[in-house]
Amino acid sequence: MSELTTIDAQTAYGPVSGIVENGITRFLGIPYAAEMTAERRFAAPVRPEPWEEVLPAHTHGSTAPKPELAGRLGELMSDPDVVGDRPDEWLNLNVWTPSPGTQTQLPVMVWIHGGGFTTGSSAVPVYDGTTFARDGVVCVSINYRLGVYGFGRLEGAPDNRGLLDQLFALEWVRDNIQQFGGDPDNVTVCGESAGAMSVLALLSTGTSLFHKAIVQSGTAHLGQSPGDAALVMNDVAKRLNVPATVESLAGVEVAALIDAQNLTSADITKTASVAKYGASTIASCGMSFMPVIDGDLLREQPIKAISSGQGSHVPLLMGTTTEEFRLFVTTSFLAGWDTPILFKPRIKAYGAPDGSYDTYDVDGPVYPRKAAPGVASAVLTDRMFRIPTYRVAEARTDDENTFVYEFGWRSGVTPNNVGVELGACHSLDLPFAWDTLHLPESKAFTGPDAPQALADALHGTWVEFATTGGVNWQPYDEARRTVMCFAHDNTTADTAVEDPRSGERLWWKDALPRT
């Protein structure tokens, strides 16, 4: 075991101390904004009070309030709930670097975690930035406000507080990362799931705070209307027997507010409740909280802004897994549904074209579909992730700087009582991209035999893109539609394929608009 030492670095607010191990220094839990006291929880982030003594940044900072991951999903995925020395200091970040205290101008990667805008944090073990620092990239991961605190719409409070937190953290990176060996003019922002949706939302604002972007399992088609967002918050407040105002909710205990949020979120996932929460995509995606089209930070749905050219100069790497939605089917009661009639109403409620179930009811050589959960997973994978990814790529073809990939290796883990495997599901790619397959938390998801060669390939691609803005395959265009398929045949092979599963892509031709 290597001997651990410490080293100091200076930030704009005060000095911090990090831990050096095997040539990599990690600084954990650095505050980038002021503590979230009751009066600040629904306000825009502000600068923290400066400090003079060295602040130990040796352990993860407090995580933002969130519900516990329950059931089979909680058994599969680690989501630590951290209460640090400063419990209200939710807005903190981590830095891993091979060159602290120098100005070596290394590329920088800023990670925005996923979790449906209600769960997740930078403390998830899989997100160990040591691997990126080992490969010459300064890695930063951030916490931001979630659920009601980050995305609940309230009169008198700014909308999209979680996105404002992300932008505030990116400002911290711009102003401080040189002290950690990073180049503030070579910043790649990246995220998965809600983190990827956040990246696309930020891209659509035209911000200059990052220079490249990686989007894994994201969509630019989300964005709730102010009216629908208010319906959600009114439901949360009703469960607490208080008005839906900043003053009332600021006085509610955090745990009680999260409990009420959880009940509303569970109601939104019910097919029969779709109409109750309005006509925006909040109903058709089953998510309770997400960015709001507020007319300020987000003036329109991100896909529309991107189609108009916002962020077109930013090189973009986008990926999906082949069977994204299997995660949500196999870890819920849906895994036991065995007839089409059970899934067809849900597919329709989520916005798939009529006839989608029957169109997808075919078996493939690797990705089994004939069972009802597999067919529904395939339809909803395309509805929620693959087709929205293509729509963003199609909107940016004139710039020749958008690259698309698909991750197809299948996990044999069966988190249910009916033998339905995870397959190439949502989030399975993360321990590969982060090169953290060795962790117990990763093995619970991948099983014991995940191929390291595939991690080398995907992780290496992210490092190459963060460093240069390029990859080893052609940009996406509407003539060839090149997609790099990592392990498309369930091996460690990676092959550039032109227009994979074109028939299913064409099925969505008139759905999910490009603008």
Side-chain angles (χ1 to χ4, degrees):
M1 181 178 294
S2 61
E3 182 179 353
L4 303 183
T5 59
T6 62
I7 193 171
D8 295 347
Q10 185 67 36
T11 77
Y13 306 127
V16 294
S17 167
I19 293 178
V20 184
E21 185 175 13
N22 295 325
I24 304 299
T25 304
R26 60 181 181 269
F27 298 85
L28 306 179
I30 302 173
Y32 68 82
E35 293 184 58
M36 290 287 99
T37 56
E39 63 271 16
R40 290 180 180 149
R41 288 172 185 167
F42 295 101
V46 296
R47 292 170 175 254
E49 290 293 326
W51 60 88
E52 295 183 0
E53 295 187 4
V54 176
L55 179 70
H58 301 166
T59 58
H60 284 288
S62 298
T63 50
K66 52 190 170 63
E68 180 182 358
L69 279 182
R72 296 185 179 109
L73 192 61
E75 294 169 3
L76 274 179
M77 306 182 77
S78 174
D79 188 15
D81 189 11
V82 179
V83 180
D85 295 334
R86 298 172 296 279
D88 289 332
E89 201 170 79
W90 309 341
L91 304 186
N92 56 75
L93 54 78
N94 313 308
V95 181
W96 289 264
T97 174
S99 303
T102 68
Q103 296 191 16
T104 50
Q105 302 295 96
L106 294 172
V108 179
M109 186 182 90
V110 179
W111 174 251
I112 302 177
H113 69 79
F117 297 106
T118 58
T119 63
S121 77
S122 66
V124 172
V126 170
Y127 310 151
D128 182 354
T130 300
T131 57
F132 285 102
R134 175 200 67 197
D135 296 330
V137 177
V138 176
C139 181
V140 180
S141 61
I142 69 172
N143 286 332
Y144 57 97
R145 277 173 285 183
L146 304 169
V148 167
Y149 292 114
F151 297 93
R153 188 164 204 273
L154 293 168
E155 291 297 328
D159 288 316
N160 298 311
R161 294 176 297 278
L163 295 182
L164 295 178
D165 295 343
Q166 295 166 12
L167 289 168
F168 211 70
L170 285 166
E171 290 180 7
W172 185 97
V173 170
R174 178 196 62 197
D175 298 339
N176 293 277
I177 206 63
Q178 276 189 301
Q179 300 301 319
F180 298 82
D183 182 356
D185 295 319
N186 189 10
V187 174
T188 300
V189 65
C190 52
E192 185 264 352
S193 195
M197 299 170 202
S198 297
V199 171
L200 289 169
L202 298 180
L203 186 74
S204 78
T205 68
T207 179
S208 61
L209 289 170
F210 55 88
H211 314 96
K212 298 184 290 295
I214 300 175
V215 168
Q216 173 59 40
S217 303
T219 174
H221 286 77
L222 290 188
Q224 47 185 323
S225 69
D228 286 358
L231 289 176
V232 176
M233 277 307 304
N234 287 339
D235 190 80
V236 173
K238 183 178 179 181
R239 295 176 190 276
L240 292 164
N241 295 312
V242 299
T245 64
V246 170
E247 294 76 16
S248 295
L249 291 175
V252 174
E253 289 291 331
V254 171
L257 196 151
I258 296 298
D259 285 344
Q261 171 189 301
N262 236 6
L263 292 171
T264 297
S265 296
D267 194 36
I268 284 173
T269 65
K270 298 175 183 175
T271 305
S273 295
V274 167
K276 177 179 176 181
Y277 296 96
S280 75
T281 52
I282 196 161
S284 62
C285 72
M287 293 170 60
S288 48
F289 294 91
M290 67 179 76
V292 181
I293 310 304
D294 60 354
D296 185 13
L297 181 64
L298 298 183
R299 297 184 178 275
E300 56 188 345
Q301 202 175 50
I303 185 62
K304 294 181 180 180
I306 291 169
S307 298
S308 299
Q310 284 285 32
S312 61
H313 63 289
V314 177
L316 177 62
L317 175 64
M318 306 179 73
T320 64
T321 69
T322 304
E323 303 175 289
E324 297 267 8
F325 217 79
R326 287 181 77 92
L327 176 64
F328 310 108
V329 169
T330 58
T331 57
S332 72
F333 60 89
L334 302 176
W337 285 7
D338 58 359
T339 59
I341 192 60
L342 294 172
F343 280 106
K344 286 184 177 182
R346 184 169 292 253
I347 289 173
K348 185 175 180 62
Y350 277 32
D354 290 342
S356 289
Y357 187 98
D358 296 328
T359 297
Y360 279 70
D361 190 10
V362 294
D363 221 351
V366 176
Y367 306 107
R369 294 182 181 173
K370 291 299 286 185
V375 179
S377 294
V379 176
L380 293 174
T381 290
D382 280 3
R383 163 63 180 87
M384 301 296 184
F385 299 101
R386 189 169 77 109
I387 301 304
T389 293
Y390 288 172
R391 292 289 184 263
V392 172
E394 290 161 357
R396 292 169 44 96
T397 54
D398 289 346
D399 297 282
E400 298 184 347
N401 62 355
T402 303
F403 307 91
V404 178
Y405 69 87
E406 183 175 307
F407 181 89
W409 184 81
R410 304 190 81 242
S411 170
V413 173
T414 56
N416 50 67
N417 298 321
V418 292
V420 181
E421 297 177 340
L422 285 174
C425 71
H426 189 71
S427 299
L428 181 66
D429 55 304
L430 288 175
F432 292 86
W434 284 79
D435 194 13
T436 50
L437 288 176
H438 62 282
L439 296 177
E441 292 85 358
S442 297
K443 292 181 185 296
F445 208 57
T446 66
D449 301 318
Q452 179 60 43
L454 183 55
D456 294 342
L458 185 56
H459 175 77
T461 296
W462 281 32
V463 169
E464 178 184 3
F465 185 80
T467 303
T468 69
V471 293
N472 65 353
W473 67 90
Q474 294 297 310
Y476 191 94
D477 61 51
E478 293 195 68
R480 293 170 297 183
R481 300 180 183 274
T482 302
V483 177
M484 175 58 75
C485 294
F486 289 100
H488 72 289
D489 56 357
N490 209 33
T491 71
T492 57
D494 50 281
T495 306
V497 178
E498 292 189 1
D499 203 5
R501 298 192 302 287
S502 60
E504 290 167 6
R505 177 184 61 78
L506 290 170
W507 175 254
W508 295 86
K509 182 179 178 181
D510 298 322
L512 291 182
R514 294 164 176 80
T515 59

